[in-house]
Amino acid sequence: MDQLKQLISNDSVWRIPFVILFFILSFITIYFIYNFIEKRLKRHVVKTNKPLNDVIISFLRAPVLWILFSILLSIYNQLFMPAENYFEVLTNISRILLIASLGWFTIKVVKSLSFYLQNKLNIEDPNNLEARKRLTQLKMFEGILIAVIVVLFISISLMTFEALKNIGVSLLASAGVIGVIVGLAAQRSVGQILSGLQIALTQPLRLDDVVIVEGEWGRVEEITITYVVVKIWDERRLVVPIDYFLTKPFQNWTRATSDILGTVFLFVSYDLPVDPLRQKLREILNENPNWDKRVCNIQVTDSKEWYKVLRILVSSADSSRNWDLKVDVREKMIDFINREFPGSFARLPIDEKRG
């Protein structure tokens, strides 16, 4: 014991190396204890057959270790380093690490809670409207909460330094000259965040909605607090500012339901009978699994000088199925007309002269 006191006494040359070594050994001990507890928890999760809890434990691993590290650093600094010149520096470092670790831990808790709630939603269900509504709200509120947590903990970190305390207070309270400057500089971003909050509450669109934006057809793949990613049919991604969906019109094909009607137009001569086409259409649809058996119709919707316009109307459970159905109907109806009623497609007089 006397030798230990001599090692950690202020006049000992071995004091600093000993304290550092003891700190490292202490953290290694805590690390192994934490690993032991974590493995016990994971074994318990395996027994309860709840793999989701295993994912949440993994989420929280890194921030918990950093919290333990910063607390240990603060304790060693207070016990063994108060007489050193760099005591204040180490104190500030340990304080910043603790605040950052707590912020990280809070963000991980929010993400874990969001992940837990998302796994309760059945997105794979064909009738997943309610699940997509909840998923969209979860994603939006998760992003907003994380943004608030980041600002809050950055403000607290700044307030630990005397020279930056006023900046931290201004940032936290959104007041003062700095707050005004930041507010003006970030006016666009703040507007986007508020738009994201409005999207989450009113939900003019949701994740996996089929939309037409800027003339492009696609599905809503991702919604953040500042932008929306639309996956276009040809695998491109259209990134749109979130406030676009509050200020400009766009088509949402799955706003209330995913059921949809599709049209195929044929331009044919006046002497082509329609009834045989109706019978053929029924045969085509009965053989196609993409038809939901709701709508099957052919109508003469327009008459021009040289031809009439037939509109084929078919229905499907969603837009992707309807696209495939329309392609199949168009192909087979054209082949049927060419085979059974050759020369029945519209031909303008200029075509005959060229022929």
Side-chain angles (χ1 to χ4, degrees), residues 8 14-24 76 80-81:
I8 63 175
W14 296 103
R15 179 172 179 271
I16 300 300
F18 175 78
V19 171
I20 293 174
L21 178 61
F22 200 44
F23 172 81
I24 293 172
Y76 270 79
F80 301 111
M81 302 294 187

Side-chain angles (χ1 to χ4, degrees), residues 124-158:
E124 302 302 323
D125 187 351
N127 188 17
N128 61 0
L129 179 62
E130 190 65 26
R132 290 190 291 112
K133 286 173 63 176
R134 297 289 175 262
L135 181 60
T136 302
Q137 289 177 333
L138 279 173
K139 287 287 187 181
M140 296 302 299
F141 283 117
E142 177 189 340
I144 292 170
L145 273 176
I146 289 175
V148 171
I149 290 169
V150 169
V151 172
L152 178 64
F153 278 90
I154 288 176
S155 302
I156 295 173
S157 299
L158 292 175

Side-chain angles (χ1 to χ4, degrees), residues 333-347:
M333 290 298 289
I334 289 174
D335 290 344
F336 174 75
I337 293 172
N338 282 330
R339 183 175 63 253
E340 301 295 331
F341 305 95
S344 292
F345 280 103
R347 297 181 64 189

